[in-house]
Amino acid sequence: MSSETTKSRPYGSKSGDLRLSEANLDKLPDQMRRPAYDRSRVTPGIVHLGIGAFHRAHQAVVIDDLIAGGATEWGIIGASLRSPDTRDALATQDGLYTLAVRSGEGTDHRIIGSVLALEVAREKPGHLIARLANPATRIVSLTVTEKGYCHTPQTGELDEAHPDIVHDLQNPGTARSAIGLLVAALSRRRIAGEPPFTVLSCDNLSANGHTVGRIVTQFAALRSRNLANWIEAEVAFPSTMVDRIVPETTDADRAAVSSALGMIDAWPVVTEPFTQWIVEDRFPAGRPDFAAAGVQLVSDVTPFEHMKLRLLNASHSALAYLGYLAGHETIASTMTDPHFAALARQVMLDAAPTLAMPEGTDLASYGASLLRRFSNPALHHRTWQIAMDGSQKLPQRLLATMQDRLRLGLPIETHALAVAGWMRYVTGTDEHGRTIDVRDPLAAKLKAIAESAGPVAERLAPALLEVDGIFGTLGADPRMRSAVTAALTKLFAVGARQAVQTFQPTSSAG
Ligand code: CS2
């Protein structure tokens, strides 16, 4: 979700170009919305780790609204873990950037002012740890993507062999991972006798709050049992469900936004009109009045999180792998093929019986709205972008549903086709023999498996299903093996387009 993988190219660096900044706000077109508050009076209360496009189009917008309503003690310090690109682009803009909301009706531009300063952990980890340890920081939120949690996706446990974890255990003062940074700062708070901050994960992990809580505590226990006990007793890790589709910003977006502004914005964010944030209300260190900005506060976010992961993200991933293989560059383009739209819908229908939603939840209209959002022609959301990091995404998006459906005695062909799409994709060669740029922490391992199995479904499917960190015990289930092997056989035989076009869900799909 964070755009740490996005490479910003020098943009608008010609001298003489007017640049978005505090001083130039009054030179923007009159009607353009901008911070309706005095930014110099805003103080930081939140440090956000992973200041990519998603955070800037989602949480930072909510905070911008709240500050405008008077919550001036909740400004954001944004940190990237590794890449200096966002900091470099926004520092000269005083942290200001444009939110461009696109739909079929056009684009709405708004300047966001809630990000007060930016940091890069890798450059000055000590500085960032000191910020986190400062009692003024009451919430530390995260969008570091699934792989940023240094865990085993299938189990949700800390991956103790992860190179960043090994590094951070040996060098707590120069931690690299989000987990190492959080624990270094929490340890300082404890030693100083200060109350901790609340940790707010905003990534698409199952039970994201519980998961990050577990990983942080496991990491802390490797440093000191007392520290781990203190974290367990004192630190709140509310779970959240976050939703907004935010494609990577392209140079064309930069140019279009800058032309609307009449000045350069080196890194605007582009998104859809829809936005949703559901948060568990556990903030012992205080929180802004989220509800005033439309955030839903609940006591248990699990059902909403499952609904989103299993309907939105699951069908997104299915469209991404199969759409990419069928030659579609974007989700909107994939959705123009009615068979792909039908498949996305079927992924959602099949997930429905595995959900336990609160009374009154209308899953059918939720699903229909997702299909409309995916079809938004104004968003250039690349299938390749969503296909990234499949090893970290599959368990909570697709596999959990398959597990539940098998338990309920229901067929799993629809999801098996999506998983087979991922398998075909990670071979690294497309249907025309061209290389696929597979981005995944396990890419090398997956490629080696694909090379030794060859393009033979009966060998490749079982070999990939044995990757324990992804599939766990589900990989050994004969029903799983046969459904995925059958789908992969078809993909190799007729290609993704035809496999989707001829796909018939079993009638008792639930
Ligand atoms: C997408 C998500 O990149 C992906 O894997 O499925 O980022 C998706 O766009 C968001 O979760 C929507 O809220």
Side-chain angles (χ1 to χ4, degrees), residues 380-414:
H380 195 81
H381 202 185
R382 292 172 71 193
T383 46
W384 177 81
Q385 187 188 349
I386 299 160
M388 224 180 275
D389 296 339
S391 70
Q392 316 291 303
K393 294 175 174 174
L394 255 46
Q396 62 277 23
R397 295 183 177 205
L398 296 166
L399 307 181
T401 299
M402 298 175 96
Q403 188 96 58
D404 284 351
R405 284 184 65 84
L406 288 175
R407 208 174 290 129
L408 295 166
L410 297 168
I412 54 169
E413 279 79 8
T414 317

PDB file of all heavy atoms in Angstrom, residues 380-414:
ATOM      1  N   HIS A 380      -6.039   4.604 -13.182  1.00  0.00           N
ATOM      2  CA  HIS A 380      -5.118   3.739 -13.922  1.00  0.00           C
ATOM      3  C   HIS A 380      -4.447   2.798 -12.913  1.00  0.00           C
ATOM      4  O   HIS A 380      -3.291   2.975 -12.553  1.00  0.00           O
ATOM      5  CB  HIS A 380      -4.096   4.633 -14.634  1.00  0.00           C
ATOM      6  CG  HIS A 380      -3.335   3.917 -15.689  1.00  0.00           C
ATOM      7  ND1 HIS A 380      -3.822   3.689 -16.949  1.00  0.00           N
ATOM      8  CD2 HIS A 380      -2.107   3.354 -15.671  1.00  0.00           C
ATOM      9  CE1 HIS A 380      -2.928   3.032 -17.663  1.00  0.00           C
ATOM     10  NE2 HIS A 380      -1.881   2.811 -16.896  1.00  0.00           N
ATOM     11  N   HIS A 381      -5.220   1.848 -12.420  1.00  0.00           N
ATOM     12  CA  HIS A 381      -4.693   0.961 -11.378  1.00  0.00           C
ATOM     13  C   HIS A 381      -4.142  -0.292 -12.035  1.00  0.00           C
ATOM     14  O   HIS A 381      -4.895  -1.156 -12.499  1.00  0.00           O
ATOM     15  CB  HIS A 381      -5.815   0.608 -10.397  1.00  0.00           C
ATOM     16  CG  HIS A 381      -5.322   0.168  -9.062  1.00  0.00           C
ATOM     17  ND1 HIS A 381      -6.138  -0.280  -8.066  1.00  0.00           N
ATOM     18  CD2 HIS A 381      -4.072   0.112  -8.547  1.00  0.00           C
ATOM     19  CE1 HIS A 381      -5.421  -0.590  -6.988  1.00  0.00           C
ATOM     20  NE2 HIS A 381      -4.167  -0.367  -7.272  1.00  0.00           N
ATOM     21  N   ARG A 382      -2.845  -0.397 -12.056  1.00  0.00           N
ATOM     22  CA  ARG A 382      -2.219  -1.475 -12.842  1.00  0.00           C
ATOM     23  C   ARG A 382      -2.384  -2.846 -12.185  1.00  0.00           C
ATOM     24  O   ARG A 382      -2.195  -2.995 -10.971  1.00  0.00           O
ATOM     25  CB  ARG A 382      -0.741  -1.181 -13.027  1.00  0.00           C
ATOM     26  CG  ARG A 382      -0.496   0.028 -13.915  1.00  0.00           C
ATOM     27  CD  ARG A 382       0.966   0.392 -13.921  1.00  0.00           C
ATOM     28  NE  ARG A 382       1.732  -0.594 -14.652  1.00  0.00           N
ATOM     29  CZ  ARG A 382       3.061  -0.670 -14.613  1.00  0.00           C
ATOM     30  NH1 ARG A 382       3.750   0.172 -13.872  1.00  0.00           N
ATOM     31  NH2 ARG A 382       3.705  -1.577 -15.310  1.00  0.00           N
ATOM     32  N   THR A 383      -2.694  -3.814 -13.014  1.00  0.00           N
ATOM     33  CA  THR A 383      -2.783  -5.192 -12.518  1.00  0.00           C
ATOM     34  C   THR A 383      -1.432  -5.594 -11.918  1.00  0.00           C
ATOM     35  O   THR A 383      -1.368  -6.278 -10.897  1.00  0.00           O
ATOM     36  CB  THR A 383      -3.163  -6.163 -13.659  1.00  0.00           C
ATOM     37  OG1 THR A 383      -2.362  -5.876 -14.814  1.00  0.00           O
ATOM     38  CG2 THR A 383      -4.633  -6.007 -14.036  1.00  0.00           C
ATOM     39  N   TRP A 384      -0.371  -5.136 -12.525  1.00  0.00           N
ATOM     40  CA  TRP A 384       0.982  -5.468 -12.052  1.00  0.00           C
ATOM     41  C   TRP A 384       1.201  -4.965 -10.625  1.00  0.00           C
ATOM     42  O   TRP A 384       1.837  -5.632  -9.805  1.00  0.00           O
ATOM     43  CB  TRP A 384       2.018  -4.848 -13.005  1.00  0.00           C
ATOM     44  CG  TRP A 384       3.421  -5.073 -12.563  1.00  0.00           C
ATOM     45  CD1 TRP A 384       4.169  -6.204 -12.760  1.00  0.00           C
ATOM     46  CD2 TRP A 384       4.246  -4.159 -11.827  1.00  0.00           C
ATOM     47  NE1 TRP A 384       5.401  -6.056 -12.184  1.00  0.00           N
ATOM     48  CE2 TRP A 384       5.478  -4.811 -11.609  1.00  0.00           C
ATOM     49  CE3 TRP A 384       4.065  -2.862 -11.329  1.00  0.00           C
ATOM     50  CZ2 TRP A 384       6.534  -4.209 -10.922  1.00  0.00           C
ATOM     51  CZ3 TRP A 384       5.100  -2.262 -10.644  1.00  0.00           C
ATOM     52  CH2 TRP A 384       6.328  -2.929 -10.451  1.00  0.00           C
ATOM     53  N   GLN A 385       0.668  -3.788 -10.317  1.00  0.00           N
ATOM     54  CA  GLN A 385       0.862  -3.241  -8.967  1.00  0.00           C
ATOM     55  C   GLN A 385       0.175  -4.130  -7.918  1.00  0.00           C
ATOM     56  O   GLN A 385       0.733  -4.431  -6.864  1.00  0.00           O
ATOM     57  CB  GLN A 385       0.299  -1.804  -8.882  1.00  0.00           C
ATOM     58  CG  GLN A 385       0.639  -1.151  -7.535  1.00  0.00           C
ATOM     59  CD  GLN A 385      -0.061   0.196  -7.302  1.00  0.00           C
ATOM     60  OE1 GLN A 385      -0.661   0.779  -8.204  1.00  0.00           O
ATOM     61  NE2 GLN A 385       0.020   0.674  -6.082  1.00  0.00           N
ATOM     62  N   ILE A 386      -1.034  -4.562  -8.229  1.00  0.00           N
ATOM     63  CA  ILE A 386      -1.775  -5.375  -7.257  1.00  0.00           C
ATOM     64  C   ILE A 386      -1.187  -6.791  -7.180  1.00  0.00           C
ATOM     65  O   ILE A 386      -1.220  -7.436  -6.131  1.00  0.00           O
ATOM     66  CB  ILE A 386      -3.266  -5.409  -7.643  1.00  0.00           C
ATOM     67  CG1 ILE A 386      -3.811  -3.984  -7.613  1.00  0.00           C
ATOM     68  CG2 ILE A 386      -4.077  -6.301  -6.709  1.00  0.00           C
ATOM     69  CD1 ILE A 386      -5.077  -3.795  -8.395  1.00  0.00           C
ATOM     70  N   ALA A 387      -0.602  -7.241  -8.292  1.00  0.00           N
ATOM     71  CA  ALA A 387      -0.024  -8.587  -8.328  1.00  0.00           C
ATOM     72  C   ALA A 387       1.218  -8.710  -7.429  1.00  0.00           C
ATOM     73  O   ALA A 387       1.627  -9.817  -7.059  1.00  0.00           O
ATOM     74  CB  ALA A 387       0.341  -8.958  -9.762  1.00  0.00           C
ATOM     75  N   MET A 388       1.768  -7.568  -7.059  1.00  0.00           N
ATOM     76  CA  MET A 388       2.977  -7.557  -6.241  1.00  0.00           C
ATOM     77  C   MET A 388       2.767  -8.254  -4.892  1.00  0.00           C
ATOM     78  O   MET A 388       1.688  -8.188  -4.326  1.00  0.00           O
ATOM     79  CB  MET A 388       3.290  -6.079  -5.955  1.00  0.00           C
ATOM     80  CG  MET A 388       4.717  -5.707  -6.089  1.00  0.00           C
ATOM     81  SD  MET A 388       4.857  -3.946  -5.701  1.00  0.00           S
ATOM     82  CE  MET A 388       4.467  -3.204  -7.250  1.00  0.00           C
ATOM     83  N   ASP A 389       3.811  -8.916  -4.406  1.00  0.00           N
ATOM     84  CA  ASP A 389       3.809  -9.466  -3.034  1.00  0.00           C
ATOM     85  C   ASP A 389       2.696 -10.484  -2.781  1.00  0.00           C
ATOM     86  O   ASP A 389       2.147 -10.562  -1.676  1.00  0.00           O
ATOM     87  CB  ASP A 389       3.691  -8.337  -1.983  1.00  0.00           C
ATOM     88  CG  ASP A 389       4.900  -7.408  -2.006  1.00  0.00           C
ATOM     89  OD1 ASP A 389       5.958  -7.822  -2.511  1.00  0.00           O
ATOM     90  OD2 ASP A 389       4.773  -6.281  -1.507  1.00  0.00           O
ATOM     91  N   GLY A 390       2.390 -11.268  -3.797  1.00  0.00           N
ATOM     92  CA  GLY A 390       1.320 -12.268  -3.641  1.00  0.00           C
ATOM     93  C   GLY A 390       1.551 -13.218  -2.471  1.00  0.00           C
ATOM     94  O   GLY A 390       0.597 -13.614  -1.796  1.00  0.00           O
ATOM     95  N   SER A 391       2.815 -13.572  -2.227  1.00  0.00           N
ATOM     96  CA  SER A 391       3.075 -14.527  -1.133  1.00  0.00           C
ATOM     97  C   SER A 391       2.602 -13.967   0.203  1.00  0.00           C
ATOM     98  O   SER A 391       2.271 -14.715   1.114  1.00  0.00           O
ATOM     99  CB  SER A 391       4.568 -14.867  -1.059  1.00  0.00           C
ATOM    100  OG  SER A 391       5.311 -13.742  -0.608  1.00  0.00           O
ATOM    101  N   GLN A 392       2.564 -12.641   0.304  1.00  0.00           N
ATOM    102  CA  GLN A 392       2.146 -12.006   1.556  1.00  0.00           C
ATOM    103  C   GLN A 392       0.637 -11.752   1.579  1.00  0.00           C
ATOM    104  O   GLN A 392       0.077 -11.454   2.623  1.00  0.00           O
ATOM    105  CB  GLN A 392       2.845 -10.640   1.727  1.00  0.00           C
ATOM    106  CG  GLN A 392       4.316 -10.645   1.399  1.00  0.00           C
ATOM    107  CD  GLN A 392       5.123 -11.434   2.415  1.00  0.00           C
ATOM    108  OE1 GLN A 392       5.090 -11.143   3.594  1.00  0.00           O
ATOM    109  NE2 GLN A 392       5.833 -12.459   1.954  1.00  0.00           N
ATOM    110  N   LYS A 393       0.017 -11.785   0.406  1.00  0.00           N
ATOM    111  CA  LYS A 393      -1.392 -11.392   0.312  1.00  0.00           C
ATOM    112  C   LYS A 393      -2.358 -12.580   0.242  1.00  0.00           C
ATOM    113  O   LYS A 393      -3.501 -12.486   0.697  1.00  0.00           O
ATOM    114  CB  LYS A 393      -1.608 -10.524  -0.936  1.00  0.00           C
ATOM    115  CG  LYS A 393      -0.902  -9.168  -0.879  1.00  0.00           C
ATOM    116  CD  LYS A 393      -1.050  -8.415  -2.205  1.00  0.00           C
ATOM    117  CE  LYS A 393      -0.491  -7.009  -2.136  1.00  0.00           C
ATOM    118  NZ  LYS A 393      -0.497  -6.323  -3.448  1.00  0.00           N
ATOM    119  N   LEU A 394      -1.893 -13.665  -0.412  1.00  0.00           N
ATOM    120  CA  LEU A 394      -2.806 -14.780  -0.659  1.00  0.00           C
ATOM    121  C   LEU A 394      -3.488 -15.327   0.607  1.00  0.00           C
ATOM    122  O   LEU A 394      -4.707 -15.560   0.598  1.00  0.00           O
ATOM    123  CB  LEU A 394      -2.054 -15.922  -1.371  1.00  0.00           C
ATOM    124  CG  LEU A 394      -2.329 -16.109  -2.861  1.00  0.00           C
ATOM    125  CD1 LEU A 394      -2.313 -14.812  -3.621  1.00  0.00           C
ATOM    126  CD2 LEU A 394      -1.392 -17.134  -3.484  1.00  0.00           C
ATOM    127  N   PRO A 395      -2.735 -15.541   1.704  1.00  0.00           N
ATOM    128  CA  PRO A 395      -3.384 -16.196   2.857  1.00  0.00           C
ATOM    129  C   PRO A 395      -4.656 -15.487   3.312  1.00  0.00           C
ATOM    130  O   PRO A 395      -5.708 -16.129   3.439  1.00  0.00           O
ATOM    131  CB  PRO A 395      -2.303 -16.155   3.946  1.00  0.00           C
ATOM    132  CG  PRO A 395      -1.017 -16.163   3.184  1.00  0.00           C
ATOM    133  CD  PRO A 395      -1.296 -15.334   1.951  1.00  0.00           C
ATOM    134  N   GLN A 396      -4.595 -14.184   3.557  1.00  0.00           N
ATOM    135  CA  GLN A 396      -5.773 -13.502   4.121  1.00  0.00           C
ATOM    136  C   GLN A 396      -6.814 -13.155   3.057  1.00  0.00           C
ATOM    137  O   GLN A 396      -7.975 -12.946   3.368  1.00  0.00           O
ATOM    138  CB  GLN A 396      -5.355 -12.269   4.937  1.00  0.00           C
ATOM    139  CG  GLN A 396      -4.648 -11.157   4.207  1.00  0.00           C
ATOM    140  CD  GLN A 396      -3.146 -11.377   4.047  1.00  0.00           C
ATOM    141  OE1 GLN A 396      -2.683 -12.509   4.092  1.00  0.00           O
ATOM    142  NE2 GLN A 396      -2.388 -10.321   3.821  1.00  0.00           N
ATOM    143  N   ARG A 397      -6.393 -13.097   1.780  1.00  0.00           N
ATOM    144  CA  ARG A 397      -7.350 -12.712   0.733  1.00  0.00           C
ATOM    145  C   ARG A 397      -8.103 -13.909   0.163  1.00  0.00           C
ATOM    146  O   ARG A 397      -9.307 -13.841  -0.066  1.00  0.00           O
ATOM    147  CB  ARG A 397      -6.613 -12.026  -0.414  1.00  0.00           C
ATOM    148  CG  ARG A 397      -5.991 -10.719   0.004  1.00  0.00           C
ATOM    149  CD  ARG A 397      -5.323 -10.009  -1.156  1.00  0.00           C
ATOM    150  NE  ARG A 397      -4.816  -8.739  -0.691  1.00  0.00           N
ATOM    151  CZ  ARG A 397      -4.615  -7.674  -1.449  1.00  0.00           C
ATOM    152  NH1 ARG A 397      -4.882  -7.737  -2.746  1.00  0.00           N
ATOM    153  NH2 ARG A 397      -4.146  -6.558  -0.950  1.00  0.00           N
ATOM    154  N   LEU A 398      -7.341 -14.974  -0.142  1.00  0.00           N
ATOM    155  CA  LEU A 398      -7.953 -16.104  -0.846  1.00  0.00           C
ATOM    156  C   LEU A 398      -7.960 -17.390  -0.024  1.00  0.00           C
ATOM    157  O   LEU A 398      -8.952 -18.115   0.004  1.00  0.00           O
ATOM    158  CB  LEU A 398      -7.186 -16.358  -2.157  1.00  0.00           C
ATOM    159  CG  LEU A 398      -7.243 -15.221  -3.196  1.00  0.00           C
ATOM    160  CD1 LEU A 398      -6.190 -15.415  -4.287  1.00  0.00           C
ATOM    161  CD2 LEU A 398      -8.635 -15.150  -3.838  1.00  0.00           C
ATOM    162  N   LEU A 399      -6.840 -17.668   0.637  1.00  0.00           N
ATOM    163  CA  LEU A 399      -6.711 -18.994   1.253  1.00  0.00           C
ATOM    164  C   LEU A 399      -7.627 -19.178   2.467  1.00  0.00           C
ATOM    165  O   LEU A 399      -8.156 -20.261   2.688  1.00  0.00           O
ATOM    166  CB  LEU A 399      -5.248 -19.263   1.638  1.00  0.00           C
ATOM    167  CG  LEU A 399      -4.240 -19.070   0.495  1.00  0.00           C
ATOM    168  CD1 LEU A 399      -2.825 -19.374   0.960  1.00  0.00           C
ATOM    169  CD2 LEU A 399      -4.607 -19.950  -0.712  1.00  0.00           C
ATOM    170  N   ALA A 400      -7.820 -18.108   3.239  1.00  0.00           N
ATOM    171  CA  ALA A 400      -8.676 -18.232   4.425  1.00  0.00           C
ATOM    172  C   ALA A 400     -10.094 -18.608   4.001  1.00  0.00           C
ATOM    173  O   ALA A 400     -10.766 -19.426   4.644  1.00  0.00           O
ATOM    174  CB  ALA A 400      -8.672 -16.925   5.209  1.00  0.00           C
ATOM    175  N   THR A 401     -10.558 -18.021   2.903  1.00  0.00           N
ATOM    176  CA  THR A 401     -11.896 -18.356   2.398  1.00  0.00           C
ATOM    177  C   THR A 401     -11.949 -19.821   1.945  1.00  0.00           C
ATOM    178  O   THR A 401     -12.921 -20.533   2.214  1.00  0.00           O
ATOM    179  CB  THR A 401     -12.252 -17.432   1.211  1.00  0.00           C
ATOM    180  OG1 THR A 401     -12.257 -16.087   1.694  1.00  0.00           O
ATOM    181  CG2 THR A 401     -13.606 -17.759   0.617  1.00  0.00           C
ATOM    182  N   MET A 402     -10.870 -20.254   1.264  1.00  0.00           N
ATOM    183  CA  MET A 402     -10.858 -21.640   0.778  1.00  0.00           C
ATOM    184  C   MET A 402     -10.921 -22.610   1.962  1.00  0.00           C
ATOM    185  O   MET A 402     -11.662 -23.591   1.947  1.00  0.00           O
ATOM    186  CB  MET A 402      -9.611 -21.890  -0.062  1.00  0.00           C
ATOM    187  CG  MET A 402      -9.567 -21.000  -1.296  1.00  0.00           C
ATOM    188  SD  MET A 402      -8.036 -21.159  -2.223  1.00  0.00           S
ATOM    189  CE  MET A 402      -8.525 -22.353  -3.463  1.00  0.00           C
ATOM    190  N   GLN A 403     -10.125 -22.295   2.969  1.00  0.00           N
ATOM    191  CA  GLN A 403     -10.108 -23.120   4.178  1.00  0.00           C
ATOM    192  C   GLN A 403     -11.521 -23.219   4.774  1.00  0.00           C
ATOM    193  O   GLN A 403     -12.000 -24.309   5.075  1.00  0.00           O
ATOM    194  CB  GLN A 403      -9.177 -22.433   5.190  1.00  0.00           C
ATOM    195  CG  GLN A 403      -8.880 -23.229   6.424  1.00  0.00           C
ATOM    196  CD  GLN A 403      -7.573 -23.982   6.266  1.00  0.00           C
ATOM    197  OE1 GLN A 403      -6.532 -23.374   6.035  1.00  0.00           O
ATOM    198  NE2 GLN A 403      -7.654 -25.292   6.357  1.00  0.00           N
ATOM    199  N   ASP A 404     -12.171 -22.067   4.895  1.00  0.00           N
ATOM    200  CA  ASP A 404     -13.513 -22.045   5.478  1.00  0.00           C
ATOM    201  C   ASP A 404     -14.512 -22.786   4.588  1.00  0.00           C
ATOM    202  O   ASP A 404     -15.388 -23.503   5.075  1.00  0.00           O
ATOM    203  CB  ASP A 404     -13.992 -20.593   5.675  1.00  0.00           C
ATOM    204  CG  ASP A 404     -13.318 -19.936   6.870  1.00  0.00           C
ATOM    205  OD1 ASP A 404     -12.620 -20.636   7.634  1.00  0.00           O
ATOM    206  OD2 ASP A 404     -13.471 -18.703   7.032  1.00  0.00           O
ATOM    207  N   ARG A 405     -14.399 -22.604   3.293  1.00  0.00           N
ATOM    208  CA  ARG A 405     -15.344 -23.282   2.396  1.00  0.00           C
ATOM    209  C   ARG A 405     -15.157 -24.801   2.462  1.00  0.00           C
ATOM    210  O   ARG A 405     -16.133 -25.545   2.465  1.00  0.00           O
ATOM    211  CB  ARG A 405     -15.202 -22.774   0.950  1.00  0.00           C
ATOM    212  CG  ARG A 405     -15.830 -21.384   0.754  1.00  0.00           C
ATOM    213  CD  ARG A 405     -15.768 -20.930  -0.692  1.00  0.00           C
ATOM    214  NE  ARG A 405     -16.574 -21.753  -1.596  1.00  0.00           N
ATOM    215  CZ  ARG A 405     -17.883 -21.589  -1.808  1.00  0.00           C
ATOM    216  NH1 ARG A 405     -18.545 -20.622  -1.190  1.00  0.00           N
ATOM    217  NH2 ARG A 405     -18.522 -22.389  -2.644  1.00  0.00           N
ATOM    218  N   LEU A 406     -13.912 -25.238   2.544  1.00  0.00           N
ATOM    219  CA  LEU A 406     -13.684 -26.687   2.641  1.00  0.00           C
ATOM    220  C   LEU A 406     -14.300 -27.214   3.931  1.00  0.00           C
ATOM    221  O   LEU A 406     -14.930 -28.273   3.951  1.00  0.00           O
ATOM    222  CB  LEU A 406     -12.184 -26.994   2.583  1.00  0.00           C
ATOM    223  CG  LEU A 406     -11.546 -26.813   1.201  1.00  0.00           C
ATOM    224  CD1 LEU A 406     -10.037 -27.020   1.263  1.00  0.00           C
ATOM    225  CD2 LEU A 406     -12.168 -27.800   0.183  1.00  0.00           C
ATOM    226  N   ARG A 407     -14.130 -26.438   4.996  1.00  0.00           N
ATOM    227  CA  ARG A 407     -14.719 -26.831   6.284  1.00  0.00           C
ATOM    228  C   ARG A 407     -16.248 -26.941   6.180  1.00  0.00           C
ATOM    229  O   ARG A 407     -16.866 -27.786   6.787  1.00  0.00           O
ATOM    230  CB  ARG A 407     -14.338 -25.784   7.327  1.00  0.00           C
ATOM    231  CG  ARG A 407     -14.264 -26.326   8.741  1.00  0.00           C
ATOM    232  CD  ARG A 407     -13.733 -25.293   9.715  1.00  0.00           C
ATOM    233  NE  ARG A 407     -12.327 -24.990   9.543  1.00  0.00           N
ATOM    234  CZ  ARG A 407     -11.811 -23.763   9.431  1.00  0.00           C
ATOM    235  NH1 ARG A 407     -12.596 -22.704   9.457  1.00  0.00           N
ATOM    236  NH2 ARG A 407     -10.519 -23.596   9.292  1.00  0.00           N
ATOM    237  N   LEU A 408     -16.828 -26.057   5.356  1.00  0.00           N
ATOM    238  CA  LEU A 408     -18.288 -26.060   5.197  1.00  0.00           C
ATOM    239  C   LEU A 408     -18.757 -27.053   4.126  1.00  0.00           C
ATOM    240  O   LEU A 408     -19.939 -27.123   3.807  1.00  0.00           O
ATOM    241  CB  LEU A 408     -18.770 -24.654   4.813  1.00  0.00           C
ATOM    242  CG  LEU A 408     -18.585 -23.537   5.860  1.00  0.00           C
ATOM    243  CD1 LEU A 408     -18.769 -22.148   5.232  1.00  0.00           C
ATOM    244  CD2 LEU A 408     -19.569 -23.727   7.021  1.00  0.00           C
ATOM    245  N   GLY A 409     -17.788 -27.755   3.537  1.00  0.00           N
ATOM    246  CA  GLY A 409     -18.137 -28.717   2.493  1.00  0.00           C
ATOM    247  C   GLY A 409     -18.520 -28.069   1.170  1.00  0.00           C
ATOM    248  O   GLY A 409     -19.270 -28.640   0.382  1.00  0.00           O
ATOM    249  N   LEU A 410     -18.031 -26.863   0.928  1.00  0.00           N
ATOM    250  CA  LEU A 410     -18.382 -26.146  -0.307  1.00  0.00           C
ATOM    251  C   LEU A 410     -17.237 -26.218  -1.321  1.00  0.00           C
ATOM    252  O   LEU A 410     -16.061 -26.313  -0.941  1.00  0.00           O
ATOM    253  CB  LEU A 410     -18.673 -24.676   0.021  1.00  0.00           C
ATOM    254  CG  LEU A 410     -19.872 -24.431   0.946  1.00  0.00           C
ATOM    255  CD1 LEU A 410     -19.895 -22.978   1.439  1.00  0.00           C
ATOM    256  CD2 LEU A 410     -21.165 -24.763   0.216  1.00  0.00           C
ATOM    257  N   PRO A 411     -17.569 -26.145  -2.600  1.00  0.00           N
ATOM    258  CA  PRO A 411     -16.522 -26.211  -3.629  1.00  0.00           C
ATOM    259  C   PRO A 411     -15.633 -24.967  -3.637  1.00  0.00           C
ATOM    260  O   PRO A 411     -16.049 -23.894  -3.192  1.00  0.00           O
ATOM    261  CB  PRO A 411     -17.304 -26.332  -4.941  1.00  0.00           C
ATOM    262  CG  PRO A 411     -18.681 -25.873  -4.641  1.00  0.00           C
ATOM    263  CD  PRO A 411     -18.923 -26.070  -3.179  1.00  0.00           C
ATOM    264  N   ILE A 412     -14.419 -25.124  -4.166  1.00  0.00           N
ATOM    265  CA  ILE A 412     -13.446 -24.018  -4.113  1.00  0.00           C
ATOM    266  C   ILE A 412     -12.887 -23.654  -5.491  1.00  0.00           C
ATOM    267  O   ILE A 412     -11.848 -23.002  -5.589  1.00  0.00           O
ATOM    268  CB  ILE A 412     -12.265 -24.369  -3.169  1.00  0.00           C
ATOM    269  CG1 ILE A 412     -11.617 -25.697  -3.568  1.00  0.00           C
ATOM    270  CG2 ILE A 412     -12.730 -24.393  -1.709  1.00  0.00           C
ATOM    271  CD1 ILE A 412     -10.299 -25.965  -2.869  1.00  0.00           C
ATOM    272  N   GLU A 413     -13.598 -24.024  -6.558  1.00  0.00           N
ATOM    273  CA  GLU A 413     -13.044 -23.819  -7.908  1.00  0.00           C
ATOM    274  C   GLU A 413     -12.739 -22.355  -8.240  1.00  0.00           C
ATOM    275  O   GLU A 413     -11.766 -22.066  -8.923  1.00  0.00           O
ATOM    276  CB  GLU A 413     -14.003 -24.342  -8.988  1.00  0.00           C
ATOM    277  CG  GLU A 413     -13.940 -25.828  -9.226  1.00  0.00           C
ATOM    278  CD  GLU A 413     -14.703 -26.598  -8.169  1.00  0.00           C
ATOM    279  OE1 GLU A 413     -15.384 -25.949  -7.353  1.00  0.00           O
ATOM    280  OE2 GLU A 413     -14.584 -27.830  -8.163  1.00  0.00           O
ATOM    281  N   THR A 414     -13.596 -21.457  -7.781  1.00  0.00           N
ATOM    282  CA  THR A 414     -13.397 -20.047  -8.154  1.00  0.00           C
ATOM    283  C   THR A 414     -12.071 -19.536  -7.595  1.00  0.00           C
ATOM    284  O   THR A 414     -11.240 -18.974  -8.318  1.00  0.00           O
ATOM    285  CB  THR A 414     -14.549 -19.167  -7.599  1.00  0.00           C
ATOM    286  OG1 THR A 414     -15.778 -19.845  -7.803  1.00  0.00           O
ATOM    287  CG2 THR A 414     -14.558 -17.819  -8.249  1.00  0.00           C
TER     288      THR A 414
END
